[in-house]
Amino acid sequence: MQRPGFLRAGSIIFASSVALGLSALASNMNLPEQNTVSSNALQPGGTTEQTQTDLQTAPQPADPSEAAAGIGDDVLTETWATLGDFNSDGHPDYVLRNGSTLQTAIWYLNNNVFITGALGPSIRAGWSLDGVADFNRNAHPDYALFNPGTDQTAIWYMSGPTRVSTAFGSTLPDGWELRQTADFNGDGFPDYVLFNSTSNQTAIWYLNNNLYVRGAFGPTLPVNWSLVGVADFDGNGHRDYVLFNVSNHQTAIWYLSGSTFIRGAFGPTIPSGWALVATADFNGDGHPDYVVYNPATRQTAIWYLFNNIFVSAALGPSLPAGWSLVGP
């Protein structure tokens, strides 16, 4: 595997620079003093809790030609959701974002069913929440942030929905953005997945907590396809790419070994008005599932998969007005 010269740590802040950066980050990325459980704002909007028996109203895989014909202006492009198990119950939880206030919130789920909600930290203007993973290995998912104006990354260390501390991560080269976080080399530390929108190239930056270790090119994505999730679909211990094509709503799994492309397989086609935004194992069967989202209705749904094969679907909670499951 060719090791790109620009993927070396020449532009990365280490040692004393990090020490200086921590105080600067703390002053420039102010957060609320506390995170409280909302009594009303953080409840599902529009629907009550759904269960796996709601298959008759959950979206089903579409014929690719029908999906393409129904694409409208409200279809999400180059956006993805962040998920994590914030209460350590073994079930993935939603991270919600409020585009007006930049507030985040955690929706605790049991499979597809909403349990309760809690406010998380507010994201500072100019930064985006691009990943959730446990960077310091304390069993609590952390926020991975990216500033496209400076190419700086940062880790917000969390305990449940509460920010505990902050550290700068690596500064990305010009033209690259942070797209996903996952452990690609099996060392127990999440790594960065980078994306270059000009070349469609991906790259893996291997990390130790917030520190850069080394980098390697990943596969280049085809035109019209975007990377919306990372998970182990074939159960071989290696993280795979989940791709979504906004032009025809087709999905695909790219099976990887580390940063190396092995093979690809189509997944189910998403119906019009919906987008694939994330992947995680919601029913605990050891197989990652799709999270699909309708931005017009703010409805979510879980598609249960066996590898790349659609098995069944269930509605998830609908989000309140002003809140979204995807960026910034």
mmCIF file of all heavy atoms in Angstrom, residues 118-150:
data_model
loop_
_atom_site.group_PDB
_atom_site.id
_atom_site.type_symbol
_atom_site.label_atom_id
_atom_site.label_comp_id
_atom_site.label_asym_id
_atom_site.label_seq_id
_atom_site.Cartn_x
_atom_site.Cartn_y
_atom_site.Cartn_z
ATOM 1 N N ALA A 118 -31.534 13.385 26.580
ATOM 2 C CA ALA A 118 -30.724 14.273 27.412
ATOM 3 C C ALA A 118 -29.983 15.245 26.508
ATOM 4 O O ALA A 118 -29.520 14.868 25.422
ATOM 5 C CB ALA A 118 -29.734 13.486 28.256
ATOM 6 N N LEU A 119 -29.882 16.488 26.957
ATOM 7 C CA LEU A 119 -29.119 17.470 26.206
ATOM 8 C C LEU A 119 -27.634 17.160 26.297
ATOM 9 O O LEU A 119 -27.124 16.785 27.359
ATOM 10 C CB LEU A 119 -29.387 18.872 26.737
ATOM 11 C CG LEU A 119 -30.796 19.432 26.507
ATOM 12 C CD1 LEU A 119 -30.937 20.805 27.157
ATOM 13 C CD2 LEU A 119 -31.114 19.514 25.021
ATOM 14 N N GLY A 120 -26.944 17.321 25.165
ATOM 15 C CA GLY A 120 -25.496 17.221 25.120
ATOM 16 C C GLY A 120 -24.896 18.599 24.926
ATOM 17 O O GLY A 120 -25.605 19.613 24.932
ATOM 18 N N PRO A 121 -23.593 18.684 24.746
ATOM 19 C CA PRO A 121 -22.947 19.987 24.573
ATOM 20 C C PRO A 121 -23.319 20.648 23.258
ATOM 21 O O PRO A 121 -23.669 19.982 22.286
ATOM 22 C CB PRO A 121 -21.453 19.653 24.627
ATOM 23 C CG PRO A 121 -21.382 18.211 24.237
ATOM 24 C CD PRO A 121 -22.626 17.569 24.741
ATOM 25 N N SER A 122 -23.240 21.959 23.229
ATOM 26 C CA SER A 122 -23.460 22.740 22.004
ATOM 27 C C SER A 122 -22.149 22.833 21.227
ATOM 28 O O SER A 122 -21.087 23.049 21.807
ATOM 29 C CB SER A 122 -23.968 24.136 22.337
ATOM 30 O OG SER A 122 -25.237 24.085 22.938
ATOM 31 N N ILE A 123 -22.247 22.658 19.921
ATOM 32 C CA ILE A 123 -21.082 22.729 19.056
ATOM 33 C C ILE A 123 -20.780 24.194 18.747
ATOM 34 O O ILE A 123 -21.678 24.970 18.438
ATOM 35 C CB ILE A 123 -21.322 21.948 17.755
ATOM 36 C CG1 ILE A 123 -21.763 20.512 18.065
ATOM 37 C CG2 ILE A 123 -20.064 21.957 16.888
ATOM 38 C CD1 ILE A 123 -20.786 19.700 18.856
ATOM 39 N N ARG A 124 -19.521 24.571 18.836
ATOM 40 C CA ARG A 124 -19.121 25.932 18.539
ATOM 41 C C ARG A 124 -19.290 26.229 17.055
ATOM 42 O O ARG A 124 -19.083 25.360 16.208
ATOM 43 C CB ARG A 124 -17.659 26.145 18.944
ATOM 44 C CG ARG A 124 -17.160 27.572 18.871
ATOM 45 C CD ARG A 124 -17.787 28.426 19.957
ATOM 46 N NE ARG A 124 -17.156 29.741 20.002
ATOM 47 C CZ ARG A 124 -17.570 30.728 20.765
ATOM 48 N NH1 ARG A 124 -18.623 30.553 21.545
ATOM 49 N NH2 ARG A 124 -16.944 31.884 20.774
ATOM 50 N N ALA A 125 -19.704 27.456 16.712
ATOM 51 C CA ALA A 125 -19.867 27.857 15.317
ATOM 52 C C ALA A 125 -18.557 27.639 14.554
ATOM 53 O O ALA A 125 -17.468 27.934 15.052
ATOM 54 C CB ALA A 125 -20.298 29.316 15.244
ATOM 55 N N GLY A 126 -18.664 27.122 13.344
ATOM 56 C CA GLY A 126 -17.494 26.839 12.528
ATOM 57 C C GLY A 126 -16.995 25.413 12.642
ATOM 58 O O GLY A 126 -16.143 24.996 11.859
ATOM 59 N N TRP A 127 -17.523 24.675 13.613
ATOM 60 C CA TRP A 127 -17.142 23.282 13.806
ATOM 61 C C TRP A 127 -18.311 22.365 13.471
ATOM 62 O O TRP A 127 -19.471 22.767 13.569
ATOM 63 C CB TRP A 127 -16.702 23.039 15.255
ATOM 64 C CG TRP A 127 -15.431 23.729 15.626
ATOM 65 C CD1 TRP A 127 -15.274 25.055 15.926
ATOM 66 C CD2 TRP A 127 -14.135 23.149 15.731
ATOM 67 N NE1 TRP A 127 -13.965 25.333 16.215
ATOM 68 C CE2 TRP A 127 -13.238 24.169 16.118
ATOM 69 C CE3 TRP A 127 -13.650 21.856 15.563
ATOM 70 C CZ2 TRP A 127 -11.879 23.944 16.307
ATOM 71 C CZ3 TRP A 127 -12.287 21.615 15.764
ATOM 72 C CH2 TRP A 127 -11.423 22.658 16.128
ATOM 73 N N SER A 128 -18.016 21.133 13.086
ATOM 74 C CA SER A 128 -19.055 20.138 12.817
ATOM 75 C C SER A 128 -18.742 18.868 13.594
ATOM 76 O O SER A 128 -17.576 18.537 13.839
ATOM 77 C CB SER A 128 -19.141 19.827 11.319
ATOM 78 O OG SER A 128 -17.918 19.296 10.831
ATOM 79 N N LEU A 129 -19.792 18.184 14.000
ATOM 80 C CA LEU A 129 -19.672 16.888 14.663
ATOM 81 C C LEU A 129 -19.675 15.814 13.583
ATOM 82 O O LEU A 129 -20.695 15.564 12.947
ATOM 83 C CB LEU A 129 -20.831 16.684 15.641
ATOM 84 C CG LEU A 129 -20.932 15.317 16.316
ATOM 85 C CD1 LEU A 129 -19.673 15.001 17.105
ATOM 86 C CD2 LEU A 129 -22.174 15.243 17.197
ATOM 87 N N ASP A 130 -18.518 15.165 13.386
ATOM 88 C CA ASP A 130 -18.371 14.240 12.266
ATOM 89 C C ASP A 130 -18.197 12.786 12.679
ATOM 90 O O ASP A 130 -18.185 11.900 11.828
ATOM 91 C CB ASP A 130 -17.179 14.656 11.402
ATOM 92 C CG ASP A 130 -17.449 15.937 10.627
ATOM 93 O OD1 ASP A 130 -18.617 16.368 10.590
ATOM 94 O OD2 ASP A 130 -16.504 16.513 10.058
ATOM 95 N N GLY A 131 -18.042 12.524 13.968
ATOM 96 C CA GLY A 131 -17.874 11.152 14.394
ATOM 97 C C GLY A 131 -18.096 10.996 15.885
ATOM 98 O O GLY A 131 -17.983 11.968 16.644
ATOM 99 N N VAL A 132 -18.429 9.782 16.299
ATOM 100 C CA VAL A 132 -18.584 9.442 17.708
ATOM 101 C C VAL A 132 -17.872 8.112 17.928
ATOM 102 O O VAL A 132 -18.152 7.124 17.242
ATOM 103 C CB VAL A 132 -20.066 9.337 18.109
ATOM 104 C CG1 VAL A 132 -20.207 8.667 19.470
ATOM 105 C CG2 VAL A 132 -20.729 10.703 18.116
ATOM 106 N N ALA A 133 -16.935 8.093 18.878
ATOM 107 C CA ALA A 133 -16.192 6.864 19.195
ATOM 108 C C ALA A 133 -15.486 7.070 20.534
ATOM 109 O O ALA A 133 -15.329 8.199 20.999
ATOM 110 C CB ALA A 133 -15.185 6.537 18.095
ATOM 111 N N ASP A 134 -15.029 5.991 21.125
ATOM 112 C CA ASP A 134 -14.368 6.046 22.432
ATOM 113 C C ASP A 134 -12.864 6.205 22.221
ATOM 114 O O ASP A 134 -12.138 5.228 22.073
ATOM 115 C CB ASP A 134 -14.685 4.776 23.220
ATOM 116 C CG ASP A 134 -14.058 4.770 24.607
ATOM 117 O OD1 ASP A 134 -13.545 5.818 25.033
ATOM 118 O OD2 ASP A 134 -14.081 3.708 25.253
ATOM 119 N N PHE A 135 -12.374 7.441 22.242
ATOM 120 C CA PHE A 135 -10.973 7.709 21.919
ATOM 121 C C PHE A 135 -10.029 7.434 23.086
ATOM 122 O O PHE A 135 -8.878 7.050 22.865
ATOM 123 C CB PHE A 135 -10.816 9.161 21.446
ATOM 124 C CG PHE A 135 -11.278 9.373 20.036
ATOM 125 C CD1 PHE A 135 -12.609 9.627 19.757
ATOM 126 C CD2 PHE A 135 -10.391 9.293 18.975
ATOM 127 C CE1 PHE A 135 -13.052 9.803 18.456
ATOM 128 C CE2 PHE A 135 -10.816 9.458 17.679
ATOM 129 C CZ PHE A 135 -12.148 9.718 17.412
ATOM 130 N N ASN A 136 -10.466 7.651 24.318
ATOM 131 C CA ASN A 136 -9.587 7.415 25.467
ATOM 132 C C ASN A 136 -9.874 6.094 26.175
ATOM 133 O O ASN A 136 -9.346 5.830 27.244
ATOM 134 C CB ASN A 136 -9.659 8.580 26.460
ATOM 135 C CG ASN A 136 -11.080 8.817 26.976
ATOM 136 O OD1 ASN A 136 -12.038 8.175 26.518
ATOM 137 N ND2 ASN A 136 -11.222 9.739 27.904
ATOM 138 N N ARG A 137 -10.704 5.284 25.575
ATOM 139 C CA ARG A 137 -10.976 3.901 26.010
ATOM 140 C C ARG A 137 -11.455 3.826 27.464
ATOM 141 O O ARG A 137 -11.051 2.939 28.218
ATOM 142 C CB ARG A 137 -9.753 3.023 25.785
ATOM 143 C CG ARG A 137 -9.332 2.969 24.334
ATOM 144 C CD ARG A 137 -8.490 1.773 23.996
ATOM 145 N NE ARG A 137 -7.214 1.744 24.697
ATOM 146 C CZ ARG A 137 -6.266 0.847 24.451
ATOM 147 N NH1 ARG A 137 -6.451 -0.098 23.546
ATOM 148 N NH2 ARG A 137 -5.122 0.895 25.114
ATOM 149 N N ASN A 138 -12.359 4.763 27.813
ATOM 150 C CA ASN A 138 -12.955 4.715 29.154
ATOM 151 C C ASN A 138 -14.389 4.211 29.111
ATOM 152 O O ASN A 138 -15.137 4.382 30.070
ATOM 153 C CB ASN A 138 -12.897 6.087 29.816
ATOM 154 C CG ASN A 138 -13.800 7.109 29.124
ATOM 155 O OD1 ASN A 138 -14.289 6.874 28.016
ATOM 156 N ND2 ASN A 138 -14.007 8.240 29.770
ATOM 157 N N ALA A 139 -14.775 3.607 27.970
ATOM 158 C CA ALA A 139 -16.101 3.019 27.758
ATOM 159 C C ALA A 139 -17.187 4.062 27.552
ATOM 160 O O ALA A 139 -18.377 3.722 27.569
ATOM 161 C CB ALA A 139 -16.494 2.077 28.888
ATOM 162 N N HIS A 140 -16.811 5.330 27.303
ATOM 163 C CA HIS A 140 -17.783 6.375 26.997
ATOM 164 C C HIS A 140 -17.504 6.923 25.595
ATOM 165 O O HIS A 140 -16.367 7.341 25.321
ATOM 166 C CB HIS A 140 -17.710 7.522 28.013
ATOM 167 C CG HIS A 140 -18.106 7.124 29.404
ATOM 168 N ND1 HIS A 140 -19.413 6.927 29.774
ATOM 169 C CD2 HIS A 140 -17.370 6.876 30.512
ATOM 170 C CE1 HIS A 140 -19.470 6.584 31.049
ATOM 171 N NE2 HIS A 140 -18.237 6.540 31.524
ATOM 172 N N PRO A 141 -18.496 6.931 24.703
ATOM 173 C CA PRO A 141 -18.287 7.510 23.376
ATOM 174 C C PRO A 141 -17.968 8.998 23.471
ATOM 175 O O PRO A 141 -18.538 9.716 24.300
ATOM 176 C CB PRO A 141 -19.623 7.273 22.665
ATOM 177 C CG PRO A 141 -20.306 6.202 23.457
ATOM 178 C CD PRO A 141 -19.849 6.375 24.863
ATOM 179 N N ASP A 142 -17.046 9.447 22.614
ATOM 180 C CA ASP A 142 -16.627 10.838 22.576
ATOM 181 C C ASP A 142 -17.009 11.462 21.229
ATOM 182 O O ASP A 142 -17.250 10.759 20.252
ATOM 183 C CB ASP A 142 -15.108 10.934 22.769
ATOM 184 C CG ASP A 142 -14.633 10.174 24.004
ATOM 185 O OD1 ASP A 142 -15.203 10.425 25.083
ATOM 186 O OD2 ASP A 142 -13.730 9.331 23.882
ATOM 187 N N TYR A 143 -17.057 12.796 21.205
ATOM 188 C CA TYR A 143 -17.338 13.535 19.983
ATOM 189 C C TYR A 143 -16.028 13.798 19.225
ATOM 190 O O TYR A 143 -15.041 14.235 19.829
ATOM 191 C CB TYR A 143 -17.973 14.888 20.281
ATOM 192 C CG TYR A 143 -19.425 14.896 20.681
ATOM 193 C CD1 TYR A 143 -20.160 13.731 20.888
ATOM 194 C CD2 TYR A 143 -20.086 16.117 20.853
ATOM 195 C CE1 TYR A 143 -21.486 13.784 21.253
ATOM 196 C CE2 TYR A 143 -21.424 16.176 21.217
ATOM 197 C CZ TYR A 143 -22.116 15.009 21.417
ATOM 198 O OH TYR A 143 -23.450 15.061 21.787
ATOM 199 N N ALA A 144 -16.036 13.585 17.910
ATOM 200 C CA ALA A 144 -14.938 13.983 17.039
ATOM 201 C C ALA A 144 -15.411 15.157 16.183
ATOM 202 O O ALA A 144 -16.373 15.026 15.426
ATOM 203 C CB ALA A 144 -14.484 12.829 16.161
ATOM 204 N N LEU A 145 -14.740 16.299 16.304
ATOM 205 C CA LEU A 145 -15.152 17.541 15.645
ATOM 206 C C LEU A 145 -14.148 17.932 14.565
ATOM 207 O O LEU A 145 -12.964 17.595 14.641
ATOM 208 C CB LEU A 145 -15.266 18.674 16.665
ATOM 209 C CG LEU A 145 -16.112 18.424 17.911
ATOM 210 C CD1 LEU A 145 -16.126 19.670 18.796
ATOM 211 C CD2 LEU A 145 -17.524 18.018 17.539
ATOM 212 N N PHE A 146 -14.648 18.675 13.590
ATOM 213 C CA PHE A 146 -13.806 19.145 12.478
ATOM 214 C C PHE A 146 -14.157 20.586 12.150
ATOM 215 O O PHE A 146 -15.333 20.954 12.106
ATOM 216 C CB PHE A 146 -14.012 18.252 11.246
ATOM 217 C CG PHE A 146 -13.270 18.710 10.022
ATOM 218 C CD1 PHE A 146 -11.883 18.813 10.024
ATOM 219 C CD2 PHE A 146 -13.953 19.044 8.863
ATOM 220 C CE1 PHE A 146 -11.198 19.233 8.896
ATOM 221 C CE2 PHE A 146 -13.279 19.454 7.726
ATOM 222 C CZ PHE A 146 -11.893 19.548 7.739
ATOM 223 N N ASN A 147 -13.122 21.398 11.952
ATOM 224 C CA ASN A 147 -13.300 22.792 11.542
ATOM 225 C C ASN A 147 -12.822 22.936 10.103
ATOM 226 O O ASN A 147 -11.610 22.938 9.850
ATOM 227 C CB ASN A 147 -12.506 23.713 12.467
ATOM 228 C CG ASN A 147 -12.785 25.187 12.214
ATOM 229 O OD1 ASN A 147 -12.939 25.605 11.077
ATOM 230 N ND2 ASN A 147 -12.838 25.967 13.276
ATOM 231 N N PRO A 148 -13.731 23.043 9.123
ATOM 232 C CA PRO A 148 -13.305 23.112 7.721
ATOM 233 C C PRO A 148 -12.573 24.395 7.379
ATOM 234 O O PRO A 148 -11.862 24.449 6.370
ATOM 235 C CB PRO A 148 -14.635 23.007 6.945
ATOM 236 C CG PRO A 148 -15.675 23.468 7.906
ATOM 237 C CD PRO A 148 -15.202 23.065 9.271
ATOM 238 N N GLY A 149 -12.716 25.434 8.205
ATOM 239 C CA GLY A 149 -12.001 26.674 7.937
ATOM 240 C C GLY A 149 -10.523 26.593 8.261
ATOM 241 O O GLY A 149 -9.697 27.222 7.596
ATOM 242 N N THR A 150 -10.173 25.796 9.273
ATOM 243 C CA THR A 150 -8.780 25.663 9.695
ATOM 244 C C THR A 150 -8.210 24.271 9.462
ATOM 245 O O THR A 150 -7.007 24.068 9.643
ATOM 246 C CB THR A 150 -8.655 25.990 11.201
ATOM 247 O OG1 THR A 150 -9.398 25.010 11.951
ATOM 248 C CG2 THR A 150 -9.205 27.378 11.510
#
